[in-house]
Amino acid sequence: MPNSSSISELLLLPLGDTRQLQLLHFWLLLGIYLAALLGNGLISTAVACDQHLHTPMYFFLLNLALLDLGCISTTLPKAMANALWDTRAISYTGCAAQLFFFVFFLSAEYFLLTIMSYDRYVAICKPLHYGTLMDSRACATIVAAAWGTVLLYSLLHTASTFSLPLCQGNVVNQFFCEIPQILKLSCSESNLREVVFLIFSVSLGFGCFVFIVVSYVQIFKAVLRMPSVQGRNKAFSTCLPHLAVVSLFVSTGAFVNLKPLSLSSPSMDLTVALLYSVVPPTLNPIIYSMRNREIKHSLRKVLQSTLFQIP
């Protein structure tokens, strides 16, 4: 049996059994990837260029768009390249880097969604203190702390995963390097460090989920007490997109981790991985721009200025 010291490359799960199917998947993933790049790129440009959007809520939305771009760019380009060139190989170092960046962007997005729920809570439940609690310095500090924490977490998680000796071959049953699939190649069925990381990750994720739920319970109580229908509609218009993004993120992640073992198969694992790694980054810009008039107005100005500058 090979061990990790003798493995120079790993083999990812192919996206199709035939050449025609691989090319079909390549074009489908390319369309999805370009849609995600366009949507998140437009959101980022609109927030960065429009002075009216330089507020805490849109600052966090800008960070979310950047994280979505990073998350989907970690997995899809390599999968598309393998499908186009009819190969499955990824280097051992490349696999470790892919896993690190995927854990980093995914964890940072969850942290950011938690921060955004707090931002909405302060804006609606404590509007008189919003300018003090969520000023530009506080927002930058919160985001920097979140990114720094996630960076350390991702480094430790990746180092712990790849410190295990791999003696069950070099075939990863996924289209990108995923922690559960790497652990299946380990010599030992259980590892104390991974158990500790798993307990810590579940506790942290559950804590963030409880925080989001409690925040929105308080938000909805405050909104329903508003005497003005216009005020309620405005509050809902800023909260519902975030709640939809959180629901999409949590539901796909929960399905991945809680699905029965009887449903586990290479095709099912591939479908589920596409669901939680590709769908949220692609749909998030659509969700945030559907009911947000300020985003629509800024996007319209960006597109008009771009079109008029074309000779």
Side-chain angles (χ1 to χ4, degrees):
M1 286 288 185
N3 55 41
S4 55
S5 61
S6 63
I7 294 177
S8 60
E9 68 176 20
L10 298 168
L11 300 179
L12 299 175
L13 187 70
L15 293 176
D17 298 330
T18 64
R19 186 63 183 145
Q20 291 78 8
L21 198 56
Q22 287 180 342
L23 292 177
L24 175 62
H25 285 153
F26 166 76
W27 288 112
L28 287 175
L29 292 182
L30 179 61
I32 293 172
Y33 185 57
L34 292 178
L37 290 182
L38 178 62
N40 288 290
L42 285 174
I43 292 288
S44 302
T45 303
V47 174
C49 296
D50 194 337
Q51 293 289 333
H52 295 93
L53 300 184
H54 290 182
T55 62
M57 183 177 75
Y58 292 108
F59 171 72
F60 296 137
L61 182 57
L62 171 62
N63 279 267
L64 181 66
L66 295 177
L67 289 173
D68 282 335
L69 284 174
C71 185
I72 201 167
S73 297
T74 301
T75 57
L76 282 197
K78 180 59 179 176
M80 290 188 296
N82 282 358
L84 182 62
W85 301 111
D86 192 20
T87 181
R88 300 171 55 189
I90 183 172
S91 68
Y92 186 84
T93 305
C95 183
Q98 189 180 62
L99 188 145
F100 164 75
F101 283 112
F102 185 71
V103 172
F104 173 80
F105 287 121
L106 209 63
S107 302
E109 184 163 337
Y110 193 36
F111 269 50
L112 186 63
L113 290 173
T114 307
I115 294 170
M116 292 172 76
S117 69
Y118 174 72
D119 171 70
R120 291 299 83 206
Y121 164 76
V122 176
I124 294 174
C125 299
K126 298 183 178 181
L128 298 179
H129 301 283
Y130 186 74
T132 304
L133 295 175
M134 302 301 294
D135 60 6
S136 58
R137 183 174 181 179
C139 292
T141 302
I142 293 172
V143 171
W147 283 59
T149 302
V150 171
L151 177 64
L152 179 60
Y153 169 78
S154 304
L155 282 172
L156 293 175
H157 212 348
T158 304
S160 175
T161 301
F162 279 88
S163 66
L164 300 174
L166 308 181
C167 58
Q168 303 294 330
N170 66 335
V171 179
V172 180
N173 288 322
Q174 191 52 270
F175 75 97
F176 65 95
C177 289
E178 189 183 40
I179 288 179
Q181 301 299 333
I182 299 298
L183 294 179
K184 288 180 180 180
L185 304 180
S186 171
C187 298
S188 57
E189 295 185 358
S190 62
N191 180 272
L192 181 59
R193 284 174 298 180
E194 282 303 317
V195 171
V196 171
F197 267 114
L198 178 62
I199 295 174
F200 175 74
S201 300
V202 171
S203 302
L204 190 61
F206 183 72
C208 290
F209 177 73
V210 171
F211 185 88
I212 293 172
V213 170
V214 171
S215 297
Y216 269 97
V217 168
Q218 299 300 319
I219 287 171
F220 285 131
K221 284 182 178 180
V223 171
L224 293 175
R225 287 197 299 263
M226 290 180 178
S228 170
V229 176
Q230 184 178 1
R232 289 198 297 268
N233 290 336
K234 184 177 180 181
F236 278 128
S237 68
T238 61
C239 291
L240 289 180
H242 176 258
L243 193 58
V245 169
V246 171
S247 300
L248 179 65
F249 187 91
V250 172
S251 60
T252 54
F255 183 75
V256 169
N257 294 291
L258 300 178
K259 72 179 189 298
L261 293 176
S262 58
L263 295 179
S264 183
S265 66
S267 59
M268 176 58 72
D269 291 343
L270 176 62
T271 303
V272 170
L274 286 171
L275 184 66
Y276 83 92
S277 65
V278 174
V279 173
T282 307
L283 292 185
N284 285 351
I286 300 175
I287 293 172
Y288 264 105
S289 60
M290 280 181 64
R291 296 192 55 175
N292 194 309
R293 293 182 180 180
E294 293 179 324
I295 285 288
K296 288 181 180 179
H297 180 66
S298 297
L299 289 176
R300 194 177 298 114
K301 289 197 302 183
V302 169
L303 292 174
Q304 287 175 349
S305 62
T306 303
L307 291 175
F308 284 131
Q309 289 178 1
I310 297 177

